[in-house]
Amino acid sequence: MMIRMDARRKAQLDEFLARIQVSSFDQWHLLDAALTHSSYANEHQCGHEYCNERLEFLGDAILDMVVGEYLFLHYPHMMEGDLSKARASVVSEAPLADVCRDLNMGQYMLLGHGEIKSGGKFRHSILADAFEAVVGALYLGGSYEMARTFILTQLQPYLQRIQNGHYGRDYKTQFQEYIQQDGEHNITYVLCAETGPDHNKTFTMQVCVDGSIRGVGSGKSKKEAEQCAAQAALQKVYVKE
């Protein structure tokens, strides 16, 4: 089912294209789908083809390709295992969600009423999926080079971390080591949201230092969400550096 796009929605998408510095793109239905969550499509009976899940699948593959190619060409002495770790640190949920927050992508997304009420416009998993879907839309409606430019431009601060040696999987340990550089601090992880059915829950955790929130992350388990929260906190540190 194709939805007729009104002038207000087209203006929103045009504004988003300006934010991501794409000047020539006329496949509006692709971009609209990329910024449409399945909850909205289900609520309005649009059909699975008019939400961002399929574009997310495609964009995920392109994202891995682009970042993998970049690392392969820029770090010729890096071994395969380190390349895999470096790529995983760049394309994981926390950096993608942080980029989307900087772009205010949530305000351009169509979500169902339930997702809106539960803070879906700011949820890590929803934003990260939308980033991948936008990549897929830019590839299909524009070109590989358009998608590649978007990826490398938006993820440049996180690619820079690789050059500085800041990557790895145990983000909680990295964050603790960073915080404790200047003495003891109280680091706590707090569950702030739990959504979804029992068989497919998503947990959202905050990492706090001396009572101050430093990062937020989501995952399919509390441990995964804690790692994502620590990674989000580290991203802020390294981007500032």
Side-chain angles (χ1 to χ4, degrees), residues 156-209:
Q156 191 56 46
Y158 306 98
L159 291 167
Q160 184 64 37
R161 290 184 58 216
I162 307 305
Q163 182 176 327
N164 298 335
H166 299 311
Y167 64 90
R169 300 307 296 156
D170 189 359
Y171 299 110
K172 288 181 67 175
T173 299
Q174 288 186 51
F175 185 62
Q176 180 174 329
E177 290 174 350
Y178 175 82
I179 292 299
Q180 306 292 11
Q181 288 180 109
D182 60 348
E184 290 294 321
H185 293 275
N186 183 30
I187 302 174
T188 56
Y189 290 85
V190 180
L191 178 66
C192 55
E194 184 176 327
T195 59
D198 289 340
H199 68 279
N200 189 28
K201 281 190 176 296
T202 296
F203 300 91
T204 301
M205 304 289 292
Q206 295 174 339
V207 58
C208 304
V209 178

Side-chain angles (χ1 to χ4, degrees), residues 132-145:
E132 293 174 343
V134 168
V135 169
L138 294 178
Y139 169 74
L140 286 178
S143 64
Y144 173 77
E145 188 57 35

Side-chain angles (χ1 to χ4, degrees), residues 15-231:
E15 182 179 301
F16 177 72
L17 287 172
R19 277 188 181 273
I20 63 174
Q21 300 178 340
V22 173
S23 58
S24 178
F25 190 86
D26 58 7
Q27 298 298 308
W28 299 102
H29 67 288
L30 288 173
L31 187 58
D32 192 27
L35 295 173
T36 299
H37 190 255
S38 58
S39 61
Y40 182 94
N42 293 335
E43 201 171 277
H44 292 78
Q45 300 182 332
C46 304
H48 72 273
E49 71 276 9
Y50 211 76
C51 72
N52 63 12
E53 290 179 346
R54 283 172 53 83
L55 285 170
E56 174 201 339
F57 167 80
L58 178 61
D60 177 60
I62 297 166
L63 181 60
D64 277 352
M65 171 64 186
V66 169
V67 174
E69 177 190 48
Y70 178 94
L71 295 174
F72 181 85
L73 294 176
H74 284 75
Y75 301 99
H77 303 299
M78 189 178 283
M79 299 297 289
E80 184 272 341
D82 288 330
L83 286 169
S84 295
K85 289 179 181 178
R87 180 175 62 185
S89 73
V90 174
V91 304
S92 58
E93 184 178 284
L96 300 186
D98 282 346
V99 166
C100 291
R101 256 192 302 277
D102 289 342
L103 292 170
N104 290 323
M105 193 180 290
Q107 76 180 40
Y108 303 103
M109 292 195 66
L110 300 178
L111 291 91
H113 289 303
E115 285 292 352
I116 293 174
K117 287 182 178 179
S118 65
K121 287 182 180 288
F122 308 99
R123 187 170 301 132
H124 268 55
S125 56
I126 289 178
L127 291 174
D129 290 348
F131 182 96
E132 293 174 343
V134 168
V135 169
L138 294 178
Y139 169 74
L140 286 178
S143 64
Y144 173 77
E145 188 57 35
M146 180 180 287
R148 179 178 179 275
T149 298
F150 169 72
I151 292 168
L152 296 182
T153 299
Q154 300 302 328
L155 294 179
Q156 191 56 46
Y158 306 98
L159 291 167
Q160 184 64 37
R161 290 184 58 216
I162 307 305
Q163 182 176 327
N164 298 335
H166 299 311
Y167 64 90
R169 300 307 296 156
D170 189 359
Y171 299 110
K172 288 181 67 175
T173 299
Q174 288 186 51
F175 185 62
Q176 180 174 329
E177 290 174 350
Y178 175 82
I179 292 299
Q180 306 292 11
Q181 288 180 109
D182 60 348
E184 290 294 321
H185 293 275
N186 183 30
I187 302 174
T188 56
Y189 290 85
V190 180
L191 178 66
C192 55
E194 184 176 327
T195 59
D198 289 340
H199 68 279
N200 189 28
K201 281 190 176 296
T202 296
F203 300 91
T204 301
M205 304 289 292
Q206 295 174 339
V207 58
C208 304
V209 178
D210 299 329
S212 175
I213 298 172
R214 295 294 189 87
V216 180
S218 301
K220 291 302 181 182
S221 69
K222 291 180 182 178
K223 288 185 178 180
E224 182 184 351
E226 288 176 354
Q227 287 285 345
C228 289
Q231 185 184 12

